[in-house]
Amino acid sequence: MGMGSASAFEKVCSHICFAFITLFVALSIVAHASTSFEEADALVTWKASLQNESQSQLSSWTLLPNNATNFSTNLNSSTSPCTWVGISCNPVGSVIKINLSHSSLKGSLHEFSFSSFINLEYVDLSQNSLSGTIPPQISDLSNLIYLNLSINQFCGKIPPEIGLLTNLKVLCLGINKLDGSIPQEIGQLRSLNVLSLQSNYLDGPIPPSLGNLSNLGYLCLDQNSLSGSIPLELGNLTNLVELYINNNSLAGPLPREIGNLKSLKCLSLQKNNLVGSIPTSLCELGNLTYIDLSQNSLSGAIPQEIGHLKSLVFLQLSVNQLNGSFPTSIGKLSQLEIFYVRDNQISGSIPQEVENLMKLTVFRVARNKLTGYLPQNICQNGLLRNFTANGNNLTGPIPKSLRNCTTLYRVRLDGNQLTGNISEVFGIYPNLYYINIANNKLHGEISPNWGKSSILTNLEFGGNGITGTIPSEIGNITKLNVLDLSSNHLVGEIPMELGRLTSLVKLVLSDNQLSGGIPSEVGFLTNLDYVDLSNNKLSKSIPGSIGNFSRLFHMDLSHNEFSQGIPIEMGMFFQLSILDLSHNHLTGEIPVEFMNLQSLQTMNISYNSLSGILAVFENMHGLSDVNIAYNKFLGHIPNNIAFQNASFEELEGNKGLCGQVKGLQPCQLVTTDKQQRIRNIVFMIIFPLLGVLVLLFAFVGLAVIILNCADSYNSLTWTICLGLNHKATMSAANICDCF
């Protein structure tokens, strides 16, 4: 073939190839245009099934009318879903991503045509109000890589067909209302990196098939009702970094296979029913930074091998049944910041090696069986914020390092036998909001510097040997909710500055030697619901300003020297449940306003000089326990449960009382001194007066009769007649017969 012929052949071939390419491109465009139109139509159909408010969020989802520009030649028209809100497409115009997170959508997926989206890779419908079940047709999304339906209201079971989405890397169905068991078919998703099913109503066991998810890095099954034991197969998840299965009903021991999770950094299994000891294999996971095994029933000692966890930052073992002593190897956890081991049965002393934890910010070992001294340099790092060792048997001094530990925001050392002078061991704490050192053997005086802890909400120093007065500077702690200085040796008066503590809810100053009256300024403490000033030497009258305590449910002013009457303002305590005014010098009658105390259940007003009748309590049917002994009450006891069930000891010492209680006389037979005096008055005054009146009426009657007879006869005749009959006792009729 010549050169000319070859050239002509090449031209023909070139034209043919170009024609084929053009045809292929045209067919491809038409095919993709058809697919895109189908996707757009499916999206609009689903939009129409949503509630009206949701549709307004998707206003851009609109198809062009039939006479609009041809769809196949205008992929960027409003008919193309690629321009719609929340929709992304590939280069040829097919939908690959739907992201409508947090779009206020309400409706379901029942009208969503999954089969129309053959190229869809990413779906995020999280944080909406979508409901109904997850349709099994979701398995039609064969190219799906990412699926997030979390934080909605989906219900029903997880469809097992979801196991057909073999390209899936992220599956998030958390915070819905899904129930039933976790389908074992999820174990087929071998590409899965993230599985999040937390906060649903899932039950049954964790399927062992999850151990097949060799690429899984994040597994969260929190807050469900999962039961059974932790599958040994989870030990196969060698790429797992975070494991969260807290707040379930898991039982059985921690499998030692958990030690195979060499990539694990976070382990959270709290609030289950796990038993047995902490496996030593757990201590070989050198990447662990976070362990939370709290609120289970784990027993045995904390393994000495725990010191191998060099990366550990957070260790939470609280509320278990751990025993034995603290391993000294804890001091090797150089990265440890947070240490929670409260509410166990750990004994022995706190190892001094704890002082090596230079990054420590939280140290909580409350309610164990610890003895010995607290580490004196617990705050040498200057970072300690939360320090609680209450409810143990610790002795010795409070750590000196606390004086300059200005980072402290919470301290609880109550319920031990600690010693020391509180004036010397404590300093100024600008960040402190809670301190309780009650029930120890501390002494010294309360420093005015406490008034500089401006954000303090709880100041509890009760049950020690503290002396001196209550500093007026306490009134500067205006955010204080609880002030408890009870059972000490405090003297002086209650400072009027306490009236500035308008956030105060609980005030306890009982069992001291405080004197003087209650300052009227306490009336500003309108949020108080608990007041105990008992067992002091407080005197004068109870101020009426306490009537402002409208939220009060407990008041104890007993064993003081209060005098005069009960203020009528107490009738404003509508929520009062317990009232104790016993062992004072109160006088007068019970205010009639007490009938407003319909919430009152327990009342003790014994050992006073109160008087009058008790009718005010007649209709207080909530009252269940009373003591009115040794007062001056009289009359019948009220007809309610509290008085009818009261013992004689709770009523004795009131000579004028009567009623159907053993030891009291029936009301109809009782004669009081006052009643006897009334009788004497009746006999000495009333009866003589009645006699005089009878005689007076007799003389008046006689005079009337005589006058009637004298109208017809003269006085002389009258005199003669009387003279003739002077020996006889004459009746009115005889007198008239003389004439």
Side-chain angles (χ1 to χ4, degrees):
M1 183 181 293
M3 293 293 295
S5 299
S7 177
F9 179 75
E10 288 174 357
K11 287 181 181 180
V12 171
C13 288
S14 175
H15 286 302
I16 293 173
C17 288
F18 178 77
F20 274 112
I21 292 172
T22 302
L23 179 61
F24 175 79
V25 170
L27 291 174
S28 178
I29 291 175
V30 171
H32 283 295
S34 176
T35 299
S36 188
F37 180 81
E38 181 182 356
E39 293 170 344
D41 187 61
L43 290 172
V44 171
T45 300
W46 180 57
K47 170 189 171 182
S49 72
L50 302 176
Q51 294 185 15
N52 292 336
E53 181 182 348
S54 304
Q55 294 183 26
S56 65
Q57 301 291 324
L58 306 177
S59 57
S60 63
W61 290 22
T62 305
L63 291 173
L64 285 175
N66 291 333
N67 58 356
T69 305
N70 186 281
F71 180 75
S72 63
T73 60
N74 190 2
L75 294 177
N76 293 322
S77 70
S78 61
T79 302
S80 171
C82 303
T83 61
W84 295 354
V85 64
I87 304 299
S88 299
C89 297
N90 60 16
V92 295
S94 181
V95 175
I96 58 172
K97 182 176 182 179
I98 300 177
N99 187 352
L100 295 173
S101 174
H102 202 67
S103 297
S104 302
L105 302 181
K106 292 184 179 181
S108 71
L109 293 178
H110 295 159
E111 299 299 322
F112 190 93
S113 177
F114 295 97
S115 60
S116 299
F117 299 92
I118 57 175
N119 297 308
L120 193 58
E121 299 176 354
Y122 184 105
V123 173
D124 190 347
L125 300 177
S126 63
Q127 301 186 66
N128 284 290
S129 297
L130 297 172
S131 57
T133 60
I134 299 174
Q137 291 81 7
I138 199 168
S139 61
D140 291 340
L141 304 178
S142 57
N143 289 308
L144 201 62
I145 296 173
Y146 182 101
L147 177 61
N148 189 349
L149 303 180
S150 62
I151 316 180
N152 278 285
Q153 298 175 24
F154 289 112
C155 60
K157 294 177 170 51
I158 299 173
E161 289 83 359
I162 211 162
L164 298 175
L165 301 176
T166 53
N167 291 311
L168 207 59
K169 292 184 177 181
V170 174
L171 176 59
C172 298
L173 305 178
I175 314 181
N176 279 287
K177 299 179 180 179
L178 299 170
D179 57 25
S181 59
I182 299 173
Q184 59 88 21
E185 287 82 358
I186 287 183
Q188 300 171 15
L189 305 177
R190 296 179 182 272
S191 298
L192 208 60
N193 300 137
V194 174
L195 177 59
S196 176
L197 306 177
Q198 81 275 16
S199 300
N200 280 288
Y201 302 110
L202 301 173
D203 55 22
I206 299 172
S209 64
L210 294 189
N212 298 331
L213 305 178
S214 56
N215 290 304
L216 199 64
Y218 179 95
L219 175 59
C220 184
L221 307 176
D222 288 356
Q223 299 184 46
N224 282 287
S225 299
L226 300 173
S227 57
S229 59
I230 298 174
L232 307 182
E233 290 80 0
L234 291 189
N236 298 333
L237 304 178
T238 56
N239 289 309
L240 196 64
V241 176
E242 298 180 51
L243 175 60
Y244 303 98
I245 322 180
N246 40 290
N247 288 77
N248 279 281
S249 300
L250 297 177
L254 274 170
R256 63 180 182 178
E257 286 79 5
I258 205 166
N260 297 332
L261 305 178
K262 301 301 182 182
S263 301
L264 199 64
K265 290 185 177 181
C266 297
L267 174 64
S268 181
L269 301 174
Q270 79 264 29
K271 294 186 180 179
N272 281 287
N273 302 311
L274 299 173
V275 297
S277 59
I278 299 172
T280 56
S281 62
L282 180 64
C283 302
E284 302 304 321
L285 302 180
N287 290 314
L288 270 177
T289 61
Y290 182 104
I291 297 177
D292 192 343
L293 304 177
S294 63
Q295 300 187 56
N296 281 285
S297 297
L298 298 173
S299 57
I302 299 173
Q304 183 71 27
E305 292 83 354
I306 199 167
H308 297 166
L309 301 177
K310 305 295 186 181
S311 300
L312 200 61
V313 175
F314 182 103
L315 177 60
Q316 166 67 289
L317 303 175
S318 299
V319 195
N320 278 288
Q321 299 172 22
L322 299 172
N323 51 40
S325 58
F326 280 124
T328 56
S329 63
I330 288 176
K332 297 180 180 179
L333 304 178
S334 58
Q335 302 301 313
L336 194 64
E337 299 178 11
I338 298 174
F339 183 65
Y340 285 92
V341 196
R342 63 178 178 85
D343 293 284
N344 279 285
Q345 301 174 27
I346 299 173
S347 57
S349 60
I350 300 172
Q352 291 298 118
E353 286 80 0
V354 167
E355 296 179 356
N356 298 333
L357 306 179
M358 301 303 295
K359 294 185 177 182
L360 198 64
T361 62
V362 175
F363 186 77
R364 304 190 66 177
V365 294
R367 292 177 294 277
N368 278 283
K369 298 180 179 180
L370 297 171
T371 56
Y373 285 17
L374 287 168
Q376 290 299 296
N377 295 315
I378 189 73
C379 190
Q380 65 176 336
N381 59 358
L383 299 175
L384 192 63
R385 294 181 295 152
N386 192 332
F387 181 36
T388 63
N390 50 297
N392 284 287
N393 296 304
L394 297 166
T395 57
I398 290 178
K400 295 179 180 179
S401 59
L402 295 187
R403 182 171 181 84
N404 297 317
C405 194
T406 56
T407 54
L408 285 172
Y409 71 74
R410 181 179 174 87
V411 175
R412 284 202 67 175
L413 302 176
D414 50 294
N416 286 288
Q417 301 178 48
L418 300 173
T419 58
N421 189 328
I422 64 167
S423 306
E424 299 174 355
V425 296
F426 292 111
I428 299 173
Y429 306 102
N431 301 305
L432 191 67
Y433 79 88
Y434 188 109
I435 183 167
N436 189 340
I437 55 173
N439 301 312
N440 280 287
K441 296 181 178 180
L442 302 169
H443 65 278
E445 298 187 0
I446 301 173
S447 170
N449 283 334
W450 287 107
K452 297 178 182 179
S453 297
S454 58
I455 65 172
L456 198 61
T457 62
N458 287 62
L459 180 63
E460 302 181 46
F461 288 178
N464 283 287
I466 300 171
T467 55
T469 61
I470 300 174
S472 60
E473 288 81 1
I474 295 292
N476 296 332
I477 316 175
T478 54
K479 294 184 179 180
L480 207 61
N481 297 145
V482 176
L483 177 61
D484 187 349
L485 306 177
S486 62
S487 301
N488 282 291
H489 305 299
L490 297 172
V491 297
E493 298 188 358
I494 299 174
M496 66 177 68
E497 287 81 3
L498 292 192
R500 298 169 56 190
L501 305 179
T502 54
S503 298
L504 205 62
V505 174
K506 184 176 182 179
L507 175 62
V508 185
L509 305 177
S510 56
D511 296 292
N512 281 288
Q513 300 174 36
L514 299 173
S515 58
I518 298 176
S520 60
E521 287 81 1
V522 300
F524 296 123
L525 309 181
T526 55
N527 288 305
L528 277 176
D529 62 30
Y530 189 104
V531 174
D532 189 349
L533 307 179
S534 62
N535 289 285
N536 279 287
K537 297 180 180 179
L538 298 173
S539 58
K540 303 180 181 180
S541 61
I542 301 172
S545 61
I546 66 170
N548 295 331
F549 301 164
S550 59
R551 300 182 180 181
L552 202 66
F553 73 85
H554 181 112
M555 171 174 271
D556 191 347
L557 304 181
S558 65
H559 294 272
N560 278 289
E561 299 173 8
F562 291 115
S563 58
Q564 301 185 41
I566 298 174
I568 62 174
E569 289 83 359
M570 278 194 179
M572 301 295 290
F573 296 164
F574 302 124
Q575 299 184 46
L576 192 67
S577 177
I578 298 174
L579 175 64
D580 195 341
L581 301 177
S582 64
H583 295 271
N584 279 288
H585 307 306
L586 299 172
T587 59
E589 298 186 357
I590 303 295
V592 68
E593 288 78 7
F594 260 44
M595 67 176 58
N596 296 327
L597 307 182
Q598 292 299 314
S599 296
L600 195 63
Q601 297 178 12
T602 302
M603 181 185 71
N604 189 348
I605 53 176
S606 63
Y607 292 91
N608 281 287
S609 296
L610 299 167
S611 58
I613 61 175
L614 299 170
V616 68
F617 299 111
E618 192 71 38
N619 294 318
M620 295 178 64
H621 302 297
L623 198 61
S624 59
D625 186 14
V626 297
N627 190 338
I628 62 170
Y630 294 98
N631 280 285
K632 299 179 180 179
F633 295 117
L634 53 84
H636 66 83
I637 61 173
N639 185 27
N640 61 27
I641 294 176
F643 282 92
Q644 296 301 319
N645 292 342
S647 66
F648 176 70
E649 289 76 14
E650 294 169 328
L651 303 175
E652 66 177 326
N654 294 280
K655 296 181 180 179
L657 280 183
C658 61
Q660 299 299 317
V661 173
K662 185 177 181 180
L664 294 181
Q665 297 186 30
C667 290
Q668 63 269 25
L669 299 178
V670 69
T671 301
T672 65
D673 292 341
K674 186 171 182 179
Q675 290 171 323
Q676 186 62 48
R677 288 196 300 272
I678 292 173
R679 258 181 213 176
N680 292 339
I681 292 173
V682 170
F683 280 105
M684 290 188 298
I685 298 177
I686 302 301
F687 283 108
L689 181 59
L690 288 174
V692 170
L693 290 174
V694 169
L695 291 174
L696 180 60
F697 281 120
F699 279 112
V700 170
L702 181 60
V704 170
I705 293 172
I706 293 173
L707 289 175
N708 288 337
C709 294
D711 286 342
S712 304
Y713 304 95
N714 58 41
S715 59
L716 179 60
T717 307
W718 171 253
T719 302
I720 294 172
C721 180
L722 289 177
L724 293 173
N725 295 280
H726 69 279
K727 294 181 180 180
T729 301
M730 302 173 66
S731 65
N734 296 139
I735 294 174
C736 290
D737 289 344
C738 288
F739 306 98

